[in-house]
């Protein structure tokens, strides 16, 4: 049995809200209990990347209908935790939440904008980021199972 060690609300933030943050949002929604509110936003809005959609579908998560959101539109101070996935998002979130109790964490996650020249190499890079995000979410929010006995 896993035990939640997560806040009640988490915002994943990155640069465009097109790859890293929607992937993290989708994974967290799947992995965390339903009472944890999860969202994502970016410094700028962009349509969700087709490679992100493809690699998330491989693990049973559909982010094709993701509605991009700008950090300026998100009430960052109302979240318990903002996980910044790009240095620029960390700077913005830190400034926007300075007078609140919101915790900010920076997770170093590669920017995939120039990843791979072939379709297969791009997919491999996106899978690698997806799997990194899954490991980070598990390590941060879910306690390991305790042995029975």
């Amino acid at each position: 049995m896993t035990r939640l060690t997560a806040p009640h609300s988490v915002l994943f933030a990155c640069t465009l809200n097109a790859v890293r943050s929607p992937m993290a949002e989708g994974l967290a929604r799947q992995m965390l209990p339903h009472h944890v509110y999860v969202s994502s936003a970016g410094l700028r809005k962009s349509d969700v990347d087709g490679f992100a959609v493809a690699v998330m579908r491989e693990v049973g998560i559909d982010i094709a209908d993701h509605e991009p959101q700008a950090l300026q539109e998100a009430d960052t101070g109302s979240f318990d935790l903002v996980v910044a996935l790009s240095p620029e998002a960390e700077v913005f979130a830190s400034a926007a939440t300075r007078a609140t109790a919101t915790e900010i964490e920076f997770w170093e996650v590669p920017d995939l904008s120039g990843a791979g020249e072939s379709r297969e190499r791009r997919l491999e890079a996106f899978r690698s980021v997806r799997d990194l995000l899954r490991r980070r979410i598990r390590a941060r929010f879910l306690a390991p199972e305790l042995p029975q006995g």
Side-chain angles (χ1 to χ4, degrees):
M1 178 77 187
T2 58
R3 178 177 58 83
L4 177 69
T5 57
H8 296 288
S9 57
V10 180
L11 177 68
F12 291 96
C14 67
T15 307
L16 297 176
N17 198 217
V19 178
R20 293 171 285 185
S21 57
M23 288 172 68
E25 177 185 354
L27 288 163
R29 286 178 187 256
Q30 181 188 62
M31 296 169 69
L32 300 180
H34 295 293
H35 69 271
V36 178
Y37 180 75
V38 178
S39 189
S40 67
L43 292 173
R44 294 175 302 283
K45 292 184 199 181
S46 181
D47 292 332
V48 69
D49 187 284
F51 286 97
V53 171
V55 300
M56 293 301 286
R57 282 188 177 147
E58 292 175 353
V59 295
I61 300 171
D62 188 0
I63 62 170
D65 293 332
H66 174 73
E67 290 291 328
Q69 176 178 221
L71 276 167
Q72 296 84 347
E73 300 168 353
D75 184 8
T76 53
S78 69
F79 287 87
D80 296 326
L81 174 64
V82 175
V83 177
L85 304 172
S86 72
E88 301 85 5
E90 180 185 26
V91 169
F92 179 91
S94 294
T97 60
R98 191 172 315 266
T100 70
T102 301
E103 182 182 349
I104 308 293
E105 288 183 15
F106 174 67
W107 293 0
E108 191 167 340
V109 178
D111 178 3
L112 294 170
S113 57
E117 295 177 18
S118 71
R119 175 175 168 68
E120 192 52 43
R121 290 201 185 228
R122 284 188 64 80
L123 284 170
E124 287 173 16
F126 276 71
R127 287 179 187 120
S128 175
V129 165
R130 176 201 62 204
D131 296 343
L132 171 64
L133 288 167
R134 183 184 304 167
R135 287 189 304 273
R136 293 295 307 259
I137 290 166
R138 183 175 291 120
R140 169 59 174 90
F141 300 117
L142 300 174
E145 290 190 25
L146 298 174
Q148 301 281 332

